Amino acid sequence: MTEKTTYVLVHGAWHGGWCYKRVAAPLRARGHQVYTPTLTGLCERSHLLAAGVNLSTHIADIVNLLRWEELTDVVLCGHSYAGMVITGVAGLVPERIRSVVYVDAYLPEEGQNTLDMVPEPFQRSFQASAARNGGLVIPPFPSEILGVNPRDRAWVDAQCTSQPYATFLECVAGRGAVERLGKRMYVYASGWGETPFTAIHERLKANPSWTLREAPCGHDVMVDMPELLVELLLEAA
C-alpha cells in the first residue's frame, strides 16, 4: 500500500491556492491529503488586504493551518515568494515538517528580505510599482514575463491579484531550521532565462544535503508542468 502523505502547497506572490489545481487533484486521487491555502490579502482573500499585512502575517497563515488542522509529518512546498514563507514556518514549527520543497523560490539566509534577494532592476521595479500604488501593493506582472506558456497566460493574468508590498520588506529567520530538516529539495525552472533564482540554484550545487531538480519551463511550474511537479513532490515525501 502506498504511504499517504500530507502536502501543504504555498503559492507565490500575486497568486492564490488556485494555481495548484493541476497538482492537488492528482495527489488527492492517489489518496494523499493536500492543502492549498491562499495567503491573507490575495485572491479570494483579497478583501483582507491592509497596510499591516506582511511576511509575518503569511507565516502565521501557514503555522496556524498546521496547528488547527493538527498536521504533522508534512511535506511543505513553497513557490517563488513563498520560499520566504516556508522558511519562516520551518523556523517556528520544524517538528511538524517532514521535508521542504522550494519551487523556483527564494531561499533566504538568516535576516534577509525579498528585496535583498532580487537583482537591482527588479528592486527598482518593485519600488516604483509600490510607489505608484500608495506604498501598499505591487500589481501583478503579466504572466508572459514569468514565462507562463501562451495557452495559460490569459487565465493566470485573470486570477492574479496585487501583492502586499510589506511582504517584500520584512526579514525572515529560519534558514538554520531548514538546513536541519531531514530532506530538502530545490526545483529550478530553467525555461525562462536568467532569473533571480538562477544564483540560488547555482549555490546549492555545492551543498550535497540538497536534492536539486530542474523543470524546463517558465516560473509557474505548477501551471506549465504539473505532472512533473507531482512526481517531484512524491519523491520529496
Side-chain angles (χ1 to χ4, degrees):
M1 179 180 291
T2 303
E3 181 187 5
K4 304 309 179 187
T5 302
T6 299
Y7 293 92
V8 175
L9 313 179
V10 188
H11 63 84
W14 305 296
H15 290 55
W18 58 267
C19 70
Y20 283 110
K21 286 181 179 180
R22 298 172 183 175
V23 174
L27 286 173
R28 289 173 179 143
R30 299 186 191 204
H32 302 293
Q33 189 174 35
V34 184
Y35 293 83
T36 59
T38 291
L39 301 170
T40 298
L42 289 131
C43 298
E44 76 270 21
R45 304 186 70 208
S46 57
H47 60 288
L48 299 176
L49 179 63
V53 175
N54 57 18
L55 177 58
S56 289
T57 310
H58 289 168
I59 292 169
D61 284 337
I62 305 306
V63 169
N64 287 345
L65 171 70
L66 299 181
R67 286 177 173 165
W68 271 271
E69 291 290 344
E70 302 178 292
L71 305 182
T72 58
D73 204 27
V74 165
V75 176
L76 181 61
C77 170
H79 173 241
S80 193
Y81 154 76
M84 307 294 288
V85 178
I86 67 172
T87 299
V89 173
L92 293 175
V93 288
E95 71 280 1
R96 293 181 180 267
I97 302 170
R98 177 193 303 188
S99 60
V100 285
V101 181
Y102 287 74
V103 180
D104 219 32
Y106 296 109
L107 178 60
E109 300 296 338
E110 299 288 352
Q112 280 190 314
N113 67 23
T114 299
L115 284 189
D116 291 333
M117 304 192 68
V118 300
E120 190 172 329
F122 280 83
Q123 291 182 12
R124 291 197 300 267
S125 175
F126 290 156
Q127 291 163 347
S129 182
R132 289 192 298 269
N133 291 275
L136 179 62
V137 298
I138 303 175
F141 285 7
S143 60
E144 182 177 0
I145 294 177
L146 303 178
V148 172
N149 72 84
R151 183 182 65 256
D152 286 316
R153 286 174 188 168
W155 173 56
V156 172
D157 288 338
Q159 291 289 93
C160 284
T161 58
S162 292
Q163 178 78 10
Y165 183 46
T167 62
F168 285 3
L169 303 178
E170 186 179 3
C171 299
V172 67
R175 176 62 182 272
V178 169
E179 296 293 343
R180 291 188 292 272
L181 293 172
K183 191 166 188 178
R184 299 167 299 286
M185 177 183 286
Y186 194 94
V187 181
Y188 173 58
S190 61
W192 62 303
E194 189 83 8
T195 75
F197 310 101
T198 304
I200 297 171
H201 179 247
E202 289 300 314
R203 286 196 301 272
L204 288 178
K205 287 181 178 179
N207 188 336
S209 69
W210 281 79
T211 298
L212 303 185
R213 296 291 181 260
E214 189 171 316
C217 63
H219 183 47
D220 282 10
V221 179
M222 70 290 297
V223 173
D224 284 2
M225 300 190 74
E227 298 90 352
L228 173 61
L229 186 54
V230 167
E231 294 306 314
L232 293 176
L233 288 169
L234 292 171
E235 178 186 349

